[in-house]
Amino acid sequence: MCEPYSKEKTIEMRKKYIGPSCKVFFAKDPIKIVCAKGQYMFDERGEKYLDCINNVAHVGHSHPEVTKAAVKQMELLNTNSRFLHDNLVQYAERLTATLPEELSVCYFVNSGSEANDLALRLARQYSGHNDVITLDHAYHGHVTSLIDISPYKFQQLGKEAKKEFVHVAPSPDTYRGKYREDHPDPGAAYAEEVNDIINEAHQNNRQIAAFIAESMQSCGGQVIPPPGYFKKVAEYVHKAGGVFIADEVQVGFGRVGKYFWSFQLQGEDFVPDIVTMGKPIGNGHPLSCVVTTRKIAEAFGATGLEYFNTFGGNPVSCAIGLAVLDIIEKEDLQGNATRVGNYLVELLQEQKEKHQIIGDIRGAGLFVGVDLVKDRQLRTPATAEAQHVIYKLKEKQILLSADGPHRNVLKFKPPMCFSKEDAKMVVDAIDELLTAFEEASGTKLVVANGQSRNKRKDNSHEYQSTSNSHGNDCRTQEHGFYSENHVVSNKRIRT
């Protein structure tokens, strides 16, 4: 493929003109991607890579129907969204039809960060309060207001970086968190932690404006909240005069398969007050949205302060948004997420029986995490091993990411056209890598008396394995990868 610059020249120019904090994947040997189609990406030499990372290219890279819709509208008109245009209202109608009836008012913006920033404004105006409760390891965007409520980011700057109005609740992680799978009701227990935070805030004369959470934590390590958690949290937050914001920027639009929105995994009786959307909404086009209730929208408008967004909801963006909704339906991508996601988990469960390093498999639809551990009983994160797997998969032309608080969780969030053949290809490659790793380190998993045990060649250590799988229960996220000399990077790159 003919490109203006060689890969070396592109790297040289990037170093010269692009900010040094803007990192790339595989920094010692980055990939130069020049085109993509479906679930595949191609470098400047025409080499094909299977993309298991891009939740942005939701219906598939370079989908012809998305391109057609964009070009057709561009040839007619693209303009400031303050002019009347049917695409805006038609798309708002289609979008709200996928949500509970209460969520009926849209604000269109250009990115997930813009959406979450606006959601905070809505919550603060409606509640008259200022403080925000967020989850540990959460990430909600790159603008200043969102770095302030993203422990994933501000904790890297030290304890003093946390603002006084920010309160951090434990991540509802039933594998590695405070309340685990053996707890009788982890959802209620984690929700009570939020209630304790609210009570402490009130004792300090502070008031809660909002609780914000990704419906499933991505950067936090593919965490699926336990049943009942969101509903109980919402009760506590509403009692305190605040609102519940569900961040669907990474996990919305049918990715979980059974439901169109990930918060619906918490049950039909749970409805957030505000939902934010991004990434998959435009299949890579800069389109985003905040959807809320009429009551909250009217409170926001009552200030008399006009809100407008020059490009948010422009005719081209809305045409693309409509095309994405059409494709999800026509190509049964929710059904595909369920079928392929279930198959992927089944394959990974087989590997868990085979490889002691796999501690937990959790996910829903095409949002799956594989938690790698050094010891199943202690659940010690296998950070270096996860980075090794990611780097070696890249050599096999498979792009997978790793994240979580310890960067030890392999993350699957591919385009929704991901197939069973793709799933098998990746899992077979992981099996090959883990087998080679075990042979090199002198460890392997054997089955004795119906129980899995980890044995070393010298037989000096044995570990009884434990099992925890949630079955079928980031933004562009960040990870560290092995460099050429196999030194784990401490820098994170968000996907």
Side-chain angles (χ1 to χ4, degrees), residues 15-79:
K15 290 178 179 178
K16 182 177 180 180
Y17 294 110
I18 307 302
S21 58
C22 300
K23 304 302 180 181
V24 296
F25 293 131
F26 312 107
K28 295 294 183 179
D29 184 24
I31 307 170
K32 183 177 182 180
I33 298 297
V34 299
C35 68
K37 185 175 182 180
Q39 62 271 52
Y40 300 104
M41 304 178 81
F42 300 84
D43 68 14
E44 79 283 3
R45 299 170 299 171
E47 296 292 334
K48 182 171 73 173
Y49 292 81
L50 177 61
D51 182 6
C52 305
I53 294 175
N54 264 292
N55 56 339
V56 178
H58 191 63
V59 299
H61 291 280
S62 308
H63 196 291
E65 293 302 313
V66 173
T67 303
K68 181 180 177 181
V71 171
K72 183 179 179 181
Q73 184 57 52
M74 277 192 233
E75 289 177 340
L76 290 173
L77 170 73
N78 198 28
T79 186

Side-chain angles (χ1 to χ4, degrees), residues 59-274:
V59 299
H61 291 280
S62 308
H63 196 291
E65 293 302 313
V66 173
T67 303
K68 181 180 177 181
V71 171
K72 183 179 179 181
Q73 184 57 52
M74 277 192 233
E75 289 177 340
L76 290 173
L77 170 73
N78 198 28
T79 186
N80 190 307
S81 55
R82 297 179 80 180
F83 289 100
L84 286 176
H85 198 278
D86 288 348
N87 284 6
L88 177 67
V89 292
Q90 184 183 5
Y91 184 52
E93 181 182 42
R94 287 278 303 278
L95 190 60
T96 54
T98 67
L99 289 158
E101 187 176 357
E102 301 94 316
L103 295 166
S104 59
V105 182
C106 299
Y107 294 87
F108 288 101
V109 292
N110 302 291
S111 71
S113 290
E114 264 195 277
N116 282 329
D117 179 77
L118 178 56
L120 291 182
R121 289 181 60 189
L122 289 167
R124 283 169 169 155
Q125 174 58 34
Y126 175 75
S127 67
H129 303 158
N130 186 61
D131 287 24
V132 177
I133 301 174
T134 186
L135 294 179
D136 203 5
H137 312 306
Y139 177 79
H140 295 289
H142 63 79
V143 300
T144 300
S145 66
L146 303 178
I147 294 297
D148 286 345
I149 64 166
S150 297
Y152 182 83
K153 284 292 188 181
F154 71 66
Q155 286 176 349
Q156 298 178 44
L157 303 175
K159 292 182 179 180
E160 67 281 357
K162 188 176 86 67
K163 299 294 193 295
E164 191 178 18
F165 62 83
V166 176
H167 309 274
V168 181
S171 171
D173 182 352
T174 57
Y175 179 69
R176 200 175 289 286
K178 183 176 181 180
Y179 307 107
R180 299 187 173 183
E181 70 278 359
D182 57 352
H183 191 282
D185 191 351
Y190 278 115
E192 193 58 40
E193 295 279 337
V194 176
N195 193 37
D196 290 344
I197 287 172
I198 293 171
N199 292 332
E200 184 178 354
H202 288 173
Q203 290 173 9
N204 293 321
N205 296 317
R206 306 199 68 88
Q207 300 296 321
I208 305 300
F211 171 90
I212 184 170
E214 297 165 272
S215 298
M216 300 190 297
Q217 278 193 287
S218 182
C219 290
Q222 307 296 83
V223 175
I224 317 297
Y229 174 65
F230 279 176
K231 183 181 178 183
K232 200 67 180 174
V233 166
E235 290 176 4
Y236 293 140
V237 172
H238 288 158
K239 186 177 179 180
V243 302
F244 191 110
I245 303 171
D247 180 341
E248 293 268 336
V249 170
Q250 292 215 52
V251 295
F253 291 86
R255 176 159 292 278
V256 298
K258 184 178 181 180
Y259 300 106
F260 203 80
W261 302 104
S262 296
F263 70 77
Q264 293 171 316
L265 289 168
Q266 290 282 307
E268 293 182 4
D269 55 350
F270 168 70
V271 179
D273 302 295
I274 301 173

